């Protein structure tokens, strides 16, 4: 079972969804499950259009292409501070060694380079740019690590 949300409506309206097979869903009977935004026709219409735009504008393919490029550039940074670089598409994480001094200072250096990143779990840098990121925008003009 997979739950999806947040960007499902392109950020315009609160909507989420459950993706599952009939076996997993068969445990729920009518009236046993509720949802704050479940069954909202406006939310569903907005989500359908957002998904249509994802497909028609090739954003999924763009995320795979640009994400792969960005990830390989990050992997090419040879630093004793970096433990691992992982990710899929444009959701990328740079895990630092515990003795690196935490992710926050490096996120601040990345910001100075023009890259917005978020420290998570103290030693991990999360990079999650928009799906419309271009090759030119994915350039790293400095090496903060």
């Amino acid at each position: 079972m997979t739950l999806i949300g947040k960007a499902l409506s392109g950020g315009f309206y609160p909507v989420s969804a459950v993706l599952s097979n009939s076996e997993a869903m068969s445990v729920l009977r009518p009236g046993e499950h509720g949802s704050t935004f479940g069954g909202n026709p406006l939310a569903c219409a907005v989500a359908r259009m957002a998904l249509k735009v994802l497909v028609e504008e090739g954003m999924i393919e763009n995320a795979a292409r640009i994400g792969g490029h960005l990830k390989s550039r990050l992997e090419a940074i040879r630093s004793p501070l970096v433990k691992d670089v992982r990710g899929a598409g444009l959701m990328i994480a740079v895990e630092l060694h515990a003795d690196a001094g935490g992710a926050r200072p490096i996120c601040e250096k990345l910001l100075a380079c023009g890259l917005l990143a978020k420290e998570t779990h103290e030693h991990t840098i999360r990079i999650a740019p928009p799906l419309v990121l271009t090759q030119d925008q994915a350039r790293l003009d400095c090496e903060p690590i």
Side-chain angles (χ1 to χ4, degrees), residues 28-140:
L28 295 175
R29 304 281 181 254
E32 290 181 344
H33 173 68
S35 171
T36 304
F37 299 106
N40 182 317
L42 178 59
C44 292
V46 170
R48 284 183 58 153
M49 288 308 293
L51 292 171
K52 183 178 179 185
V53 167
L54 280 174
V55 172
E56 288 180 355
E57 295 188 13
M59 290 185 196
I60 298 161
E61 295 81 6
N62 185 65
R65 186 178 66 256
I66 303 298
H69 169 75
L70 184 55
K71 184 174 175 272
S72 68
R73 292 286 310 274
L74 290 166
E75 289 169 334
I77 298 173
R78 299 290 175 218
S79 169
L81 303 178
V82 177
K83 182 178 180 181
D84 188 29
V85 177
R86 60 185 181 274
L90 284 168
M91 292 190 70
I92 300 171
V94 178
E95 186 178 352
L96 305 173
H97 289 285
D99 61 354
R104 177 69 183 223
I106 294 175
C107 286
E108 291 171 359
K109 290 178 183 176
L110 285 167
L111 180 59
C113 294
L115 181 65
L116 186 58
K118 171 75 173 116
E119 78 280 357
T120 60
H121 306 289
E122 192 175 344
H123 302 294
T124 304
I125 301 167
R126 178 178 45 196
I127 302 168
L131 299 177
V132 295
L133 187 73
T134 66
Q135 185 86 23
D136 191 49
Q137 292 167 330
R139 242 186 19 255
L140 293 177

